[in-house]
Amino acid sequence: MPDRSVALVTLGCTRNEVDSEELAGRLRADGWRLVADAADADVAVVNTCGFVEQAKKDSIDALLEAADLKHDARTRKVVAVGCLAERYGEQLAEQLPEADAVLGFDSYRDLSTHLRTLLAGGSVPSHTPGDRRRLLPLTPADRQREAARVALPGHGVAGSAAEGRAPASGPPVVRARLDGRPWAPLKIASGCDRRCAFCAIPMFRGAFVSRPPADVLAEARWLAQQGVKELFLVSENSTSYGKDLGDLTLLERLLPELVAVDGVERVRVSYLQPAEIRPGLLAAMAHTPGVVPYYDISFQHASERLLRAMRRFGSRAAFLELLGRVRAGSPQAGIRCNVIVGFPGETDADLDELEAFLVAARMDVVGVFGYSDEEGTEAASYAAKLTPAAVAERVDRFSSLVEALTAERAEERVGEEVEVLVEEHDPATGGALGRTGFQGPDVDGVTMLRPAPGQRAPAVGDLVRAVVVDSEGIDLVAEPR
């Protein structure tokens, strides 16, 4: 068999990382050699993001950068997959001839065949976009019986041989690790049934579909066998998990099973919708040993009037009450959210309401995004649009506000006892970098472990008890006990 190499370049969120590792598993099982650098690969597969304008730009830049390698590196073909490719398909192919193929989610199971066709000099038709919400029944309870016929990236449905395999009693795992980190994202569901006026994700990710618990547990066991200590549960909406399986309490019953997996030390839940957070889920997250005190809650704004225009629920008072319940059950809770400013019709009173909420909420991390029209969304048709300059001014104002607020929140952590998962060594200090239970991966700050003189630096993957002694912005400095 000829040597064929492929590199997967991943942009966007941790859900995309899972999708890339599923593609890696399929390709390796079909004889492809995985390499880390696109310059060393026959084919560069760029897993794009299509969420907001900046993400689209970053994805196109990555595709162009990979295409440049065809002039002076081993790379012969560049293929676009992921959300941008799924969303725009043929349009993207026309505007970006540097990409040799633009493939949607339905091509993932046959990706190896498509790549071999391209290397042999053939062509592969570009993806024709469509509204993926229409692929499954409207009623969630009717979806599971038809889900197998729909491509659900990251769900690991085996089409042929699998790269990874769970214990013999479990279902196959279609995945290959692309890094050696001691944590890994684990997808529990795909798609979203909410109809937020600003969001296009349901159109290209489809209706909400839960992964069966047996599949989630099988992949958790496989990840633990690869040395993963922390499972990061990801989806578009984790609070909906189980609704299409007839049991909305499924996530709180799944959490103890996940932390019981041999080798798993921590489980982290992401992307909670405030309108769907149930007391039972809060209790399970707060009182299940091994589930970290991390609450990633999608508030988006705090003005009740503006939230209704966004087709969302809640208010400043309701959100603060929810945060009170979170902290009552989990006093050390780390809370993060994203907010949108510059939404059509946003007034000074709406901004005052948002500011008052952020000041009172004492959250650890807040992402501030400026509104931009997304094709096909309800908000794109709204009147009362703000100018780009006005949106940018609001982004600057609230970015400065949350930078100060989150730094203050980090200072409040000084004196707390924490447990840090070590992720890398810090050559500058001789210490290590990692995350506490209330710090999520990549975007929520890090903890710098500062060993005492003569104290051994911890190894990557160690869980270290420490005391927070200082803060730098949202980052923490801690000394091992």
Side-chain angles (χ1 to χ4, degrees):
M1 179 181 295
D3 177 59
R4 298 188 300 262
S5 58
V6 61
L8 287 112
V9 180
T10 307
L11 294 98
C13 64
T14 48
R15 299 185 291 275
N16 254 17
E17 292 183 22
V18 178
D19 298 351
S20 286
E21 292 198 346
E22 180 186 307
L23 290 176
R26 293 186 184 280
L27 292 170
R28 180 178 282 175
D30 204 38
W32 290 81
R33 180 168 54 87
L34 303 177
V35 297
D37 191 340
D40 299 327
D42 295 313
V43 183
V45 176
V46 181
N47 190 353
T48 60
C49 178
F51 179 43
V52 293
E53 203 59 42
Q54 185 59 50
K56 298 174 193 174
K57 181 181 182 302
D58 291 344
S59 294
I60 291 171
D61 288 346
L63 285 163
L64 292 172
E65 183 178 342
D68 284 343
L69 296 174
K70 291 191 285 187
H71 302 299
D72 54 10
R74 173 171 176 156
T75 311
R76 294 163 56 194
K77 299 294 178 182
V78 173
V79 176
V81 298
C83 293
L84 192 70
E86 175 64 38
R87 186 174 181 185
Y88 295 105
E90 297 162 323
Q91 179 185 347
L92 178 62
E94 290 172 5
Q95 296 178 0
L96 197 72
E98 292 86 352
D100 298 286
V102 176
L103 304 179
F105 299 149
D106 294 329
S107 298
Y108 282 17
R109 293 187 193 182
D110 299 318
L111 185 62
S112 177
T113 299
H114 296 321
L115 300 190
R116 282 189 273 115
T117 296
L118 291 170
L119 284 179
S123 62
V124 179
S126 297
H127 167 63
T128 301
D131 190 338
R132 295 191 72 84
R133 293 174 295 187
R134 302 177 185 274
L135 297 180
L136 288 170
L138 181 64
T139 305
D142 295 332
R143 289 179 192 160
Q144 286 291 323
R145 69 170 184 269
E146 298 189 42
R149 65 175 179 80
V150 175
L152 297 170
H155 282 223
V157 178
S160 57
E163 158 62 18
R165 216 164 254 286
S169 59
V173 174
V174 186
R175 186 166 179 174
R177 297 294 323 272
L178 293 175
D179 58 61
R181 300 176 307 195
W183 69 273
L186 173 58
K187 190 172 284 192
I188 63 172
S190 287
C192 185
D193 289 340
R194 303 189 71 85
R195 295 295 179 264
C196 302
F198 54 83
C199 184
I201 288 175
M203 286 185 285
F204 57 85
R205 278 290 182 178
F208 183 88
V209 180
S210 304
R211 286 186 77 186
D215 291 3
V216 176
L217 285 165
E219 191 161 317
R221 295 185 189 103
W222 181 81
L223 287 168
Q225 292 167 2
Q226 314 309 305
V228 170
K229 299 289 186 69
E230 178 182 303
L231 302 174
F232 186 31
L233 307 187
V234 299
S235 71
E236 274 75 32
N237 178 5
S238 297
T239 35
S240 281
Y241 183 72
K243 74 175 186 178
D244 52 324
L245 295 169
D247 186 357
L248 264 175
T249 68
L250 208 51
L251 181 54
E252 45 255 54
R253 293 195 289 109
L254 180 61
L255 290 175
E257 295 186 73
L258 288 169
V259 295
V261 170
D262 188 29
V264 170
E265 301 284 351
R266 306 202 305 199
V267 173
R268 182 181 305 275
V269 183
S270 71
Y271 216 77
L272 306 172
Q273 285 288 346
E276 298 182 36
I277 295 176
R278 302 171 301 281
L281 179 58
L282 287 183
M285 292 177 66
H287 302 304
T288 303
V291 176
V292 296
Y294 177 78
Y295 297 81
D296 173 19
I297 305 177
S298 175
F299 289 123
Q300 304 300 352
H301 212 280
S303 162
E304 185 171 8
R305 185 195 71 83
L306 203 69
L307 285 165
R308 296 302 176 272
M310 291 178 169
R311 302 299 181 216
R312 295 180 64 84
F313 300 95
S315 65
R316 171 165 54 125
F319 291 163
L320 290 176
E321 188 275 334
L322 171 61
L323 293 182
R325 287 190 284 127
V326 167
R327 290 185 168 118
S330 182
Q332 202 181 36
I335 301 169
R336 78 165 334 271
C337 82
N338 293 326
V339 296
I340 297 171
V341 294
F343 190 80
E346 185 181 56
T347 65
D348 288 341
D350 296 324
L351 294 174
D352 290 344
E353 192 76 356
L354 177 59
E355 181 172 344
F357 167 68
L358 293 173
V359 170
R362 295 172 46 248
M363 287 184 283
D364 295 78
V365 181
V366 179
V368 180
F369 292 87
Y371 171 82
S372 61
D373 284 339
E374 290 295 324
E375 300 94 328
T377 62
E378 180 182 352
S381 68
Y382 285 2
K385 299 276 177 61
L386 280 72
T387 65
V391 174
E393 185 277 329
R394 294 179 185 202
V395 170
D396 289 344
R397 168 187 163 185
F398 277 85
S399 295
S400 297
L401 173 66
V402 301
E403 183 178 357
L405 292 174
T406 54
E408 289 176 7
R409 177 66 182 133
E411 288 177 12
E412 294 175 4
R413 298 281 189 184
V414 173
E416 286 188 12
E417 186 176 296
V418 295
E419 187 175 65
V420 179
L421 176 64
V422 177
E423 296 185 357
E424 59 181 288
H425 291 115
D426 183 1
T429 65
L433 298 176
R435 290 177 296 107
T436 68
F438 50 77
Q439 291 173 314
D442 297 334
V443 293
D444 290 350
V446 298
T447 296
M448 295 165 276
L449 283 172
R450 192 169 62 192
Q455 191 175 32
R456 179 187 69 85
V460 171
D462 283 353
L463 281 165
V464 178
R465 302 295 302 182
V467 175
V468 179
V469 296
D470 199 359
S471 64
E472 299 177 9
I474 63 171
D475 295 331
L476 302 176
V477 179
E479 294 178 351
R481 290 181 56 188

